[in-house]
Amino acid sequence: MDTERIVILNETENVTMHKIDEAFVSVICDYVEINRHIQEINQLFDVFNFNIERLISSYEIGTDDCIKRRTGFETNGSDFVAINAFMINIISAGRSLVDSLDICMATVYGGESEKYSDFKRQISGIYDRKFAYRFFYHLRNLSQHNHLLISTEENFCYFDASQILITPHYNANKKLWEEMENICKEIRERYHDNFRISLSLCLVEYIAGVAQVHKIFWEGIKDRLFELKDQIDSTIEKEPEILEHNNEKFNGCILYQRPGEKGWHAFSPYSDTDSYYENTLRAAIGFFEESDKEYSAVQKHFQSILSEE
């Protein structure tokens, strides 16, 4: 959804430059920046989803954590290396996506706003309720300090909490040490002497958690996005001449300068924001519902096993 491009000076020499109110320029700038950020968010979501698809298309992972290479997947590395590579990519991509969602909401609404505070409350709820979301948050930090996350035994892959507990955290700062101490305490309380944590259950729970954060973001960003769009449409309705230029190349665009810049920007107000937003929201809801359904199915399977013991 391209809304703006920079205009080269020699292109503007014979173009009518309308006087644009500073307040309106601010509205355009805010609108353009939101659009840039949400396009980046969609790209980060695609990266996250791509890494999930790469893992699923390469390995069949049973609810018992038994893995099997799918036909067509070839690598010179071991399953241990491949699974760790896939999982590190998924966890890192998920964290990058969530961080970008958080930054966008804080930037758009303000870090002290009720809208952003409500967003943070919902995300904190997911963090508190979903062990895997919380667990992977800390594993991502650990992976940044040269540690592999997955253990293997024959054809089984899992998180070995005892290995996490005893691994020296080289180059770890004080905050990371505290994070790992807290997560290790929770592992002891949750799993007692059973330090083998299911990869299959944690993976689907984490994906469902990130998908829920993604959905909440798209539901929350709507108000500001369309508020700015309405302000732009209202101004154009009152001043339609700002779209007209003696150089037809720029007809339908608003030419303006950003504060402190000498270059000109061409803003196109006719991008299909409504359709773009609705399609993206629909996709976000669909991805969440699908991932949450899969998580519920795997969770139910584990609960049935526990009830039989």
Side-chain angles (χ1 to χ4, degrees), residues 236-252:
I236 292 174
E237 185 177 355
K238 296 175 184 176
E239 306 174 43
E241 66 276 5
I242 62 177
L243 297 176
E244 300 171 0
H245 308 281
N246 57 356
N247 186 329
E248 294 183 357
K249 180 193 299 187
F250 299 108
N251 279 344

Side-chain angles (χ1 to χ4, degrees), residues 59-89:
Y59 284 94
E60 179 182 341
I61 304 177
T63 52
D64 60 353
D65 291 335
C66 180
I67 63 168
K68 180 181 178 181
R69 287 193 187 187
R70 294 190 186 275
T71 302
F73 175 63
E74 297 181 1
T75 175
N76 293 326
S78 64
D79 291 330
F80 169 76
V81 170
I83 291 293
N84 267 285
F86 285 132
M87 286 303 301
I88 287 173
N89 287 341

Side-chain angles (χ1 to χ4, degrees), residues 195-209:
F195 286 105
R196 181 175 291 193
I197 302 174
S198 170
L199 168 63
S200 58
L201 180 59
C202 281
L203 178 61
V204 293
E205 185 179 23
Y206 177 69
I207 293 171

Side-chain angles (χ1 to χ4, degrees), residues 37-261:
H37 207 148
I38 62 178
Q39 287 180 65
E40 177 187 89
I41 284 168
N42 273 338
Q43 292 167 349
L44 289 172
F45 172 77
D46 288 343
V47 170
F48 177 62
N49 204 24
F50 173 82
N51 282 301
I52 295 169
E53 291 174 350
R54 284 285 293 147
L55 171 61
I56 294 173
S57 65
S58 301
Y59 284 94
E60 179 182 341
I61 304 177
T63 52
D64 60 353
D65 291 335
C66 180
I67 63 168
K68 180 181 178 181
R69 287 193 187 187
R70 294 190 186 275
T71 302
F73 175 63
E74 297 181 1
T75 175
N76 293 326
S78 64
D79 291 330
F80 169 76
V81 170
I83 291 293
N84 267 285
F86 285 132
M87 286 303 301
I88 287 173
N89 287 341
I90 289 172
I91 293 172
S92 295
R95 178 70 174 273
S96 294
L97 173 60
V98 170
D99 285 350
S100 187
L101 299 173
D102 182 87
I103 292 169
C104 186
M105 287 293 285
T107 301
V108 168
Y109 288 108
E112 303 299 322
S113 67
E114 179 58 33
K115 195 78 172 181
Y116 178 65
S117 296
D118 181 60
F119 174 76
K120 292 294 286 185
R121 279 194 294 270
Q122 293 184 74
I123 306 312
S124 295
I126 296 170
Y127 182 92
D128 292 338
R129 291 191 305 272
K130 294 187 181 297
F131 168 77
Y133 186 87
R134 191 163 58 255
F135 183 42
F136 280 21
Y137 181 92
H138 298 296
L139 286 184
R140 189 265 186 178
N141 291 343
L142 188 63
S143 71
Q144 300 300 304
H145 290 77
N146 309 316
H147 295 289
L148 298 181
L149 309 176
I150 309 296
S151 296
T152 59
E153 183 179 324
E154 296 180 347
N155 292 329
F156 293 89
C157 286
Y158 53 92
F159 296 101
D160 186 345
S162 62
Q163 188 66 32
I164 294 173
L165 291 170
I166 66 174
T167 298
H169 303 133
Y170 299 110
N171 299 322
N173 58 32
K174 181 180 179 181
K175 182 178 180 181
L176 179 57
W177 271 104
E178 292 174 350
E179 288 176 354
M180 291 312 301
E181 286 176 355
N182 290 334
I183 202 68
C184 288
K185 179 181 178 182
E186 182 173 357
I187 289 171
R188 288 192 183 96
E189 293 172 350
R190 180 180 289 263
Y191 294 98
H192 306 294
D193 293 329
N194 180 16
F195 286 105
R196 181 175 291 193
I197 302 174
S198 170
L199 168 63
S200 58
L201 180 59
C202 281
L203 178 61
V204 293
E205 185 179 23
Y206 177 69
I207 293 171
V210 173
Q212 188 173 5
V213 176
H214 184 241
K215 179 181 78 74
I216 290 170
F217 166 82
W218 282 104
E219 292 170 339
I221 202 68
K222 179 179 181 179
D223 289 349
R224 183 56 176 162
L225 178 65
F226 283 96
E227 177 188 4
L228 293 169
K229 181 67 164 59
D230 289 344
Q231 291 180 30
I232 291 169
D233 290 343
S234 176
T235 299
I236 292 174
E237 185 177 355
K238 296 175 184 176
E239 306 174 43
E241 66 276 5
I242 62 177
L243 297 176
E244 300 171 0
H245 308 281
N246 57 356
N247 186 329
E248 294 183 357
K249 180 193 299 187
F250 299 108
N251 279 344
C253 292
I254 300 173
L255 296 178
Y256 72 99
Q257 285 182 303
R258 295 189 171 210
E261 294 185 8

